[in-house]
Amino acid sequence: MEFVDLKSQYQTLKKDVDRRVLAVLQHGQYINGPEVDDLEIALADFVGVKHCVAVSSGTDALLIAMMALGIEPGDEVITTPFSFISTAETIALLGAKPVFVDIDERTCNIDPLLIAPAITSRTKAIMPVSLYGQCADMDTINSIAAECKISVIEDAAQSFGATHKGKRSGGLSLIGCTSFFPSKPLGCYGDGGACFTNDAKLAERMKSISLHGQTERYHHTTLGVNGRLDTIQAAVLLAKLEKFNEEIEDRIRCGERYSKFIGSLEKSVTTPFIDSMNTSVFAQYTIQVDKRDSLRDFMASQDIPTAVHYPRPLHKQPVFAEIVSSGLRLPISERVASRVLSLPVHAYLSESEQDSVIHALNSFYN
Ligand SMILES: *Cc1c(COP(=O)(O)O)cnc(C)c1O
């Protein structure tokens, strides 16, 4: 069993992927080829926003979004401590300070009630993460931000395809950023990402920053980065996008089936809580349990791959030791980090494989 089965997916999509990738090899425009423009249009349409800028990774999407907003040394960005390193890394790379506030134990997303007290005169943005495939409470976060005239950047690296009150993740705030890392819900065959916005000026600025701050060839008006998406990756994504809605349905079916059967172990295992205003794409199917590490060892002994997202909250990462006060306690993140375990979930996981996962969990607890 694979934790994420990219080989089965390729076998299913092979004809389309091969045709589109071969077309790029034939025309040879490996950088800024026509597939990149086509993909930006298709992705903006999928998310339901006016503009998409395809970029080189989810990490670069966050960096480029914040550069476009003018985030600079001395600024503060409020974010969650319970995420992949990129979320806070990009804030710190710009010389700004990640201000961590704790999460909601049920969703593992930033707790909106804790945001307002963390806002200072230096706060420039809030960066919620839509973790495990489910959006943060974006409407509440947007209204807090609007009151204080600060920007909201959704880190939608795990939630591409998810909805919040019927609208797609990535299009829920001023800027949404996603990742096309191979194992994400929509993945390419290398690194890739995208920024989404309805603001034409911001879109133009993000595009320019992704092209070395260039406005015309060899005319550079701002500092930028080499942040383009490769044409071959755009071709892969165009092929995968055609099947993506179906894959989302299969992921949801798998997640809901797990919850139905694992839910009967209720006392020992907390299954993912999906808020009624959300649909999750189950980037991860993450349970919360006591004795997580012994469960993980047991699952490995049954040949069931699992993962821990994430074992150490960001405010406890050594790299941030100098910018986070050593007394900072974020008890929910710290507790959850010792209890989470992600089970295999993807669109190609058969029911009999799902049953093996459920069976192994049952054996551990009985
Ligand atoms: C994967 C991920 C990123 C970074 O995306 P890359 O494409 O790997 O750079 C950022 N934030 C979160 C929450 C992620 O899961």
Side-chain angles (χ1 to χ4, degrees), residues 23-25 27-37 40 54-56 191 207 210-212 214 217-218 225-235:
V24 178
L25 298 180
H27 69 54
Q29 293 181 60
Y30 303 118
I31 301 292
N32 291 337
E35 285 80 1
V36 176
D37 299 329
E40 289 180 334
V55 298
S56 41
D191 279 308
K207 185 77 183 179
S210 77
L211 305 170
H212 298 288
Q214 170 168 285
R217 189 155 215 197
Y218 302 132
V225 292
N226 181 348
R228 302 167 298 229
L229 180 75
D230 292 354
T231 311
I232 286 182
Q233 301 304 341

Side-chain angles (χ1 to χ4, degrees), residues 129-185:
V129 176
S130 296
L131 202 73
Y132 300 152
Q134 165 172 229
C135 290
D137 186 354
M138 294 301 292
D139 280 3
T140 307
I141 294 168
N142 281 330
S143 53
I144 297 167
E147 231 169 83
C148 305
K149 297 200 164 57
I150 55 186
S151 309
V152 177
I153 304 163
E154 183 196 8
D155 180 344
Q158 299 186 11
S159 57
F160 194 72
T163 62
H164 176 75
K165 300 184 181 173
K167 287 168 72 181
R168 292 273 193 200
S169 179
L172 300 167
S173 61
L174 181 61
I175 303 177
C177 297
T178 199
S179 163
F180 303 122
F181 184 83
S183 61
K184 302 285 159 121

Side-chain angles (χ1 to χ4, degrees), residues 19-231:
R19 176 176 57 81
R20 289 191 184 263
V21 170
L22 281 173
V24 178
L25 298 180
Q26 301 287 346
H27 69 54
Q29 293 181 60
Y30 303 118
I31 301 292
N32 291 337
E35 285 80 1
V36 176
D37 299 329
D38 292 350
L39 179 73
E40 289 180 334
I41 292 166
L43 291 175
D45 181 59
F46 179 87
V47 169
V49 294
K50 293 196 187 124
H51 309 282
C52 166
V53 179
V55 298
S56 41
S57 70
T59 306
D60 290 338
L62 296 171
L63 189 68
I64 290 166
M66 284 188 286
M67 288 172 78
L69 290 172
I71 288 175
E72 57 186 20
D75 292 344
E76 294 177 358
V77 178
I78 295 173
T79 192
T80 167
F82 200 60
S83 181
F84 183 59
I85 186 73
S86 301
T87 311
E89 175 187 48
T90 47
I91 296 168
L93 269 174
L94 292 175
K97 182 181 175 194
V99 175
F100 298 111
V101 308
D102 216 348
I103 56 171
D104 176 322
E105 184 153 14
R106 295 182 310 169
T107 60
C108 295
N109 281 327
I110 193 167
D111 184 343
L113 294 175
L114 302 176
I115 293 176
I119 293 176
T120 71
S121 58
R122 293 189 193 151
T123 309
K124 283 288 166 61
I126 306 171
M127 188 184 285
V129 176
S130 296
L131 202 73
Y132 300 152
Q134 165 172 229
C135 290
D137 186 354
M138 294 301 292
D139 280 3
T140 307
I141 294 168
N142 281 330
S143 53
I144 297 167
E147 231 169 83
C148 305
K149 297 200 164 57
I150 55 186
S151 309
V152 177
I153 304 163
E154 183 196 8
D155 180 344
Q158 299 186 11
S159 57
F160 194 72
T163 62
H164 176 75
K165 300 184 181 173
K167 287 168 72 181
R168 292 273 193 200
S169 179
L172 300 167
S173 61
L174 181 61
I175 303 177
C177 297
T178 199
S179 163
F180 303 122
F181 184 83
S183 61
K184 302 285 159 121
L186 179 65
C188 56
Y189 290 159
D191 279 308
C195 303
F196 299 93
T197 186
N198 280 313
D199 182 316
K201 281 225 173 74
L202 262 181
E204 201 180 307
R205 221 176 294 152
M206 292 193 290
K207 185 77 183 179
S208 163
I209 290 168
S210 77
L211 305 170
H212 298 288
Q214 170 168 285
T215 42
E216 299 158 43
R217 189 155 215 197
Y218 302 132
H219 184 80
H220 306 269
T221 53
T222 52
L223 279 181
V225 292
N226 181 348
R228 302 167 298 229
L229 180 75
D230 292 354
T231 311

